[in-house]
């Protein structure tokens, strides 16, 4: 028997009100999905409604019973003791279904608010062990590069008595090592199957020193999916956002022969500032100029439900055990039913 394959959906942010984001978790649970992943943003590139997601997750926790609930964020905006306190509390509300994912962060969620976007990996190495010590009931005195605690305690324990799962989002070589050494799981962004396999090997090299990885270490990919009645219709919605899907450094690693002009260097989703219209225009131009359908097809899953199943199988062969699905289908009701029905049932 192989590893369990899990299917999570990202919450439809930005643009949806709080009540709909809570109800989304309920609908996902009813459809048989394993998790809902909420992007922990203050801003997105689109200027649309963006509620604070941990409040939403708290509400969703008391309206659901089985589905796992968490968010993808960064180590810059919360002190680890405060974050550990919040996560343990939500874990109790949910009956042990909470999780978190921490990664590099995005300039759009930090620079505008005077929060330094610096040394995310060093922050992760410092903050995640502190959270686990607090969850274990320790009285913690610590003086680090970023955080300072003196006889600190968190007086609420996770349901399992040990920790709330913390996934590490990682793409670069050093970050992959941190994910393997520190995380309960690893999350990476859209990429071809062969690049995922290569990066997974780097994560696994570091897992030997990770007590949290001894069991149930999940290998997750944040993947853009479009399901429709035919392949061309499904592709159209992904083509419009290809500049945000593909990371230039992954293009190079994947072996595509592209020479990107200097004016587009340094443009990636994590560095974009939504109020800089020139930057946004160049970002979109880069996608149109360099990312062909053949290239984009290696980074995404699209087509009919049958086409999607074949692509999911390719990623499973590459080592993925948890799909974080960002659904950009033209008809979201149709795709939700197809994913929650034919696709998930195929893998059960």
């Amino acid at each position: 028997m192989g590893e369990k394959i899990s299917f999570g959906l990202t919450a439809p942010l930005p643009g949806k009100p709080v009540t709909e984001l809570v109800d989304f978790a309920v609908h996902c649970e009813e459809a048989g999905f394993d998790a809902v992943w909420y992007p922990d943003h203050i801003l997105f590139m689109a200027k649309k409604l963006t509620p604070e997601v941990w409040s939403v997750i708290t509400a969703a926790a008391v309206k659901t019973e089985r589905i796992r609930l968490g968010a993808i964020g960064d180590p810059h905006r919360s002190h680890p003791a405060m974050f550990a306190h919040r996560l343990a509390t939500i874990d109790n509300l949910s009956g042990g279904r909470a999780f978190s994912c921490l990664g590099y962060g995005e300039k759009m969620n930090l620079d505008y608010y005077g929060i330094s976007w610096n040394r995310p990996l060093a922050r992760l190495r410092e903050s995640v062990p502190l959270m686990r010590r607090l969850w274990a009931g320790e009285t913690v005195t610590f003086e680090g590069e970023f955080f300072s605690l003196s006889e600190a305690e968190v007086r609420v324990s996770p349901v399992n008595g040990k920790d709330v799962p913390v996934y590490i989002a990682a793409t670069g070589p050093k970050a992959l090592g941190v994910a393997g050494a520190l995380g309960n799981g690893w999350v990476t962004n859209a990429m071809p199957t062969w690049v995922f396999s290569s990066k997974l090997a780097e994560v696994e090299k570091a897992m030997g020193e990770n007590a949290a990885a001894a069991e149930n270490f999940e290998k997750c990919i944040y993947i853009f999916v479009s399901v429709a009645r035919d392949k061309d219709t499904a592709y159209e919605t992904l083509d419009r956002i290809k500049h945000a899907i593909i990371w230039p450094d992954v293009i190079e690693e994947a072996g595509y022969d592209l020479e990107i002009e200097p004016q587009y260097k340094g443009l990636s989703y994590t560095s974009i500032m939504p109020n800089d219209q020139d930057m946004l225009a160049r970002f979109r131009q880069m996608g149109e100029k360099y990312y062909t359908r053949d290239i984009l097809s290696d980074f995404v899953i699209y087509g009919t439900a049958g086409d999607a199943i074949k692509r999911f199988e390719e990623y499973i062969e590459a080592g993925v055990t948890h799909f974080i699905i960002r659904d950009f289908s033209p008809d979201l009701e149709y795709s939700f039913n197809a994913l929650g029905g034919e696709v998930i049932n195929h893998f059960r």
Side-chain angles (χ1 to χ4, degrees), residues 158-203:
V159 170
N160 66 11
K162 183 177 61 173
D163 64 8
V164 176
V166 178
Y167 297 78
I168 304 297
T171 303
K174 290 182 180 179
L176 295 171
V178 173
L182 204 59
N184 295 94
W186 163 53
V187 174
T188 196
N189 54 290
M191 60 185 57
T193 53
W194 62 91
V195 180
F196 184 91
S197 295
S198 174
K199 291 183 182 295
L200 175 57
E202 295 302 308
V203 172

Side-chain angles (χ1 to χ4, degrees), residues 207-226:
M207 286 173 60
E209 57 189 280
N210 183 357
E215 54 181 298
N216 302 323
F217 186 94
E218 290 195 294
K219 286 86 76 174
C220 315
I221 188 166
Y222 188 103
I223 189 86
F224 287 77
V225 175
S226 180

Side-chain angles (χ1 to χ4, degrees), residues 68-301:
R68 298 172 60 209
L69 303 165
I72 303 175
D74 63 70
H76 301 85
R77 286 180 282 155
S78 294
H79 189 285
M82 307 302 107
F83 197 43
H85 193 208
R86 174 189 296 160
L87 286 174
T89 302
I90 296 173
D91 196 55
N92 276 263
L93 276 171
S94 69
R97 294 180 286 124
F99 65 88
S100 176
C101 175
L102 298 173
Y104 305 103
E106 300 89 8
K107 285 175 70 68
M108 69 182 81
N109 293 308
L110 300 167
D111 282 19
Y112 289 131
Y113 307 97
I115 303 170
S116 297
W117 188 36
N118 66 337
R119 306 197 64 207
L121 298 181
R123 289 176 183 274
L124 286 171
R125 290 191 193 99
E126 200 167 289
S127 61
V128 175
L130 283 173
M131 289 193 291
R132 289 186 176 136
R133 289 176 64 187
L134 291 164
W135 285 328
E138 287 188 41
T139 301
V140 178
T141 296
F142 176 83
E143 190 67 43
E145 182 179 354
F146 306 102
F147 307 108
S148 176
L149 292 85
S150 177
E151 298 184 2
E153 297 177 0
V154 166
R155 294 179 180 172
V156 55
S157 298
V159 170
N160 66 11
K162 183 177 61 173
D163 64 8
V164 176
V166 178
Y167 297 78
I168 304 297
T171 303
K174 290 182 180 179
L176 295 171
V178 173
L182 204 59
N184 295 94
W186 163 53
V187 174
T188 196
N189 54 290
M191 60 185 57
T193 53
W194 62 91
V195 180
F196 184 91
S197 295
S198 174
K199 291 183 182 295
L200 175 57
E202 295 302 308
V203 172
E204 289 177 334
K205 283 181 187 177
M207 286 173 60
E209 57 189 280
N210 183 357
E215 54 181 298
N216 302 323
F217 186 94
E218 290 195 294
K219 286 86 76 174
C220 315
I221 188 166
Y222 188 103
I223 189 86
F224 287 77
V225 175
S226 180
V227 176
R229 292 174 177 84
D230 67 85
K231 220 166 184 182
D232 288 342
T233 301
Y235 177 79
E236 287 174 6
T237 53
L238 297 175
D239 186 64
R240 295 175 202 147
I241 58 164
K242 58 189 176 184
H243 56 285
I245 295 175
I246 296 175
W247 287 21
D249 56 341
V250 179
I251 279 283
E252 185 175 339
E253 293 176 63
Y256 300 106
D257 186 18
L258 291 180
E259 184 61 41
I260 295 178
E261 296 174 43
Q263 69 203 61
Y264 303 114
K265 295 289 186 182
L267 291 176
S268 68
Y269 186 78
T270 58
S271 65
I272 289 298
M273 300 296 280
N275 292 334
D276 187 331
Q277 295 304 310
D278 175 67
M279 179 182 282
L280 286 175
R282 285 186 291 114
F283 193 36
R284 295 188 181 99
Q285 287 167 6
M286 181 175 69
E288 288 300 320
K289 190 165 188 174
Y290 296 106
Y291 302 156
T292 65
R293 180 164 179 165
D294 285 344
I295 291 175
L296 182 59
S297 295
D298 288 333
F299 282 75
V300 297
I301 293 174

